[in-house]
Amino acid sequence: MEGGAYGAGKAGGAFDPYTLVRQPHTILRVVSWLFSIVVFGSIVNEGYLNSASEGEEFCIYNRNPNACSYGVAVGVLAFLTCLLYLALDVYFPQISSVKDRKKAVLSDIGVSAFWAFLWFVGFCYLANQWQVSKPKDNPLNEGTDAARAAILFPTGLTPALSWQSLTAALAVRRFKDLSFQEEYSTLFPASAQP
């Protein structure tokens, strides 16, 4: 443990952006935030095609509007969740209660596991719908790069399970540090006081 960095002893200090930017979980959150933009941006921008014969647009993933809706919804919600937890990372050093810190870290663990599950389901769903798409629906291959990017970015190039698992592992480490700090403060109340 690095001098009680996760305990209440360092709470209330000045905000240090350099320390925040160097933390691994903050870096992973920013990368996840960027990839969520890629997912929903590519589907919104090029995930729908217009058919000359039909006159209405359809989803590039096997003409299944649910596939496009799922990708956009998960991407937008991941974008907002990343922003929320980035704000929590900024606010975290100001939390003086070890119990409140534990709640924040436990919610980080739960949310990371939940997003790993949602990204995995999204990968399976979009990849399956892309695989069964008919070439006659898109003879000019419009939007195929964007459709592949929406499948690839959260799970292929940088697997969502590894990113989210790493984020969850870092949160578990933070939780263990918090538990140690709480037990130490309980056993040695005089030394916990400044």
Side-chain angles (χ1 to χ4, degrees):
M1 187 160 144
E2 301 173 13
Y6 294 106
K10 298 228 177 180
F15 173 67
D16 184 15
Y18 182 69
T19 303
L20 177 72
V21 171
R22 289 185 18 216
Q23 294 176 345
H25 59 275
T26 303
I27 294 167
L28 290 176
R29 259 189 251 292
V30 169
V31 170
S32 296
W33 179 70
L34 291 172
F35 287 150
S36 68
I37 293 171
V38 169
V39 171
F40 78 81
S42 61
I43 293 174
V44 166
N45 191 31
E46 295 185 31
Y48 293 93
L49 299 174
N50 290 327
S51 173
S53 61
E54 296 174 18
E56 65 182 55
E57 63 184 19
F58 59 91
C59 180
I60 197 167
Y61 297 103
N62 195 29
R63 293 183 165 254
N64 185 350
N66 294 330
C68 286
S69 297
Y70 183 85
V72 170
V74 169
V76 169
L77 290 175
F79 174 83
L80 296 173
T81 303
C82 287
L83 285 180
L84 175 75
Y85 277 93
L86 279 170
L88 181 64
D89 286 343
V90 169
Y91 181 66
F92 191 78
Q94 306 302 320
I95 301 173
S96 60
S97 170
V98 175
K99 289 183 181 182
D100 291 341
R101 286 174 173 239
K102 267 187 171 180
K103 289 177 185 176
V105 173
L106 284 173
S107 74
D108 188 10
I109 293 169
V111 167
S112 295
F114 179 68
W115 280 110
F117 172 73
L118 286 181
W119 282 127
F120 180 71
V121 168
F123 168 73
C124 293
Y125 187 40
L126 292 178
N128 176 269
Q129 292 300 305
W130 181 249
Q131 181 182 6
V132 297
S133 295
K134 297 169 189 67
K136 68 176 181 148
D137 289 338
N138 190 6
L140 300 176
N141 288 330
E142 298 173 81
T144 56
D145 292 338
R148 289 181 184 132
I151 295 169
L152 181 69
F153 267 93
T155 53
L157 181 62
T158 52
L161 293 177
S162 65
W163 283 111
Q164 296 299 330
S165 300
L166 188 55
T167 305
L170 290 170
V172 168
R173 188 186 80 195
R174 287 173 68 187
F175 179 72
K176 287 180 182 178
D177 290 342
L178 280 171
S179 297
F180 173 77
Q181 181 67 30
E182 184 178 40
E183 290 173 13
Y184 184 82
S185 297
T186 304
L187 293 173
F188 305 105
S191 63
Q193 302 296 327

